[in-house]
């Protein structure tokens, strides 16, 4: 059973920063694709950033490139999302995801590709 525990959300002013973290309770070398999705009210869930832990290749949504940085600590089975220069349009519920297999350009942003999801942490930029 895989459980993902997220933390780090909150209320921040435009231009501010937040650092999200997500710890997986099961340590499995096969769960190599970890990352974050988000969903704003009235909008579809979208991929934000995902990292493939075997080679540290990261994928980002165009809207967050240059502002967000994803990283993973394999020893702690944890993934982080450093969010800088936050904008009101970044306001959303942020969900941690993890999956076996290899992330790729074709799969990293697909909601249906990830089986394991966290409960979400709210980020509000206002």
């Amino acid at each position: 059973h895989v459980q993902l525990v997220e933390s780090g959300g909150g209320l921040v002013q435009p231009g501010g920063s937040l650092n999200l973290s997500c710890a997986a309770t099961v340590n499995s070398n096969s769960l190599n694709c970890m990352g974050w999705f988000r969903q704003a009210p009235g909008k579809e869930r979208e991929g934000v950033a995902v990292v493939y832990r075997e080679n540290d290749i990261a994928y980002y949504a165009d809207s967050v490139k240059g502002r967000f940085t994803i990283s993973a600590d394999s020893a702690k089975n944890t993934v982080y999302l450093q969010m800088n220069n936050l904008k009101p349009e970044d306001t959303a519920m942020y969900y941690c995801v993890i999956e076996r297999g290899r992330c790729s350009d074709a799969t990293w942003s697909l909601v249906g590709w990830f089986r394991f999801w966290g409960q979400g942490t709210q980020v509000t930029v206002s």
Side-chain angles (χ1 to χ4, degrees):
H1 178 66
V2 177
Q3 186 174 4
L4 303 175
V5 181
E6 301 137 326
S7 62
L11 173 64
V12 65
Q13 293 183 342
S17 298
L18 285 174
N19 189 27
L20 306 183
S21 64
C22 172
T25 57
V26 60
N27 188 4
S28 170
N29 291 334
S30 67
L31 292 170
N32 282 322
C33 191
M34 294 188 74
W36 298 88
F37 279 64
R38 69 185 180 186
Q39 187 167 20
K43 295 189 176 181
E44 293 186 354
R45 195 168 293 192
E46 63 175 358
V48 176
V50 164
V51 62
Y52 182 52
R53 298 197 292 174
E54 279 204 2
N55 57 20
D56 288 330
I57 290 180
Y59 303 87
Y60 294 94
D62 288 342
S63 59
V64 306
K65 284 180 180 177
R67 300 188 298 122
F68 292 9
T69 302
I70 190 169
S71 60
D73 184 335
S74 294
K76 296 181 179 180
N77 226 27
T78 299
V79 64
Y80 305 94
L81 185 67
Q82 177 64 42
M83 304 185 294
N84 298 326
N85 190 21
L86 282 160
K87 304 176 180 180
E89 51 264 42
D90 294 317
T91 295
M93 184 71 76
Y94 283 70
Y95 297 92
C96 179
V97 293
I98 191 169
E99 185 53 75
R100 293 183 175 88
R102 181 171 186 164
C103 311
S104 70
D105 285 323
T107 61
W108 80 268
S109 62
L110 298 178
V111 171
W113 195 75
F114 291 90
R115 287 177 294 164
F116 306 111
W117 292 76
Q119 293 298 309
T121 184
Q122 178 68 38
V123 171
T124 302
V125 185
S126 177

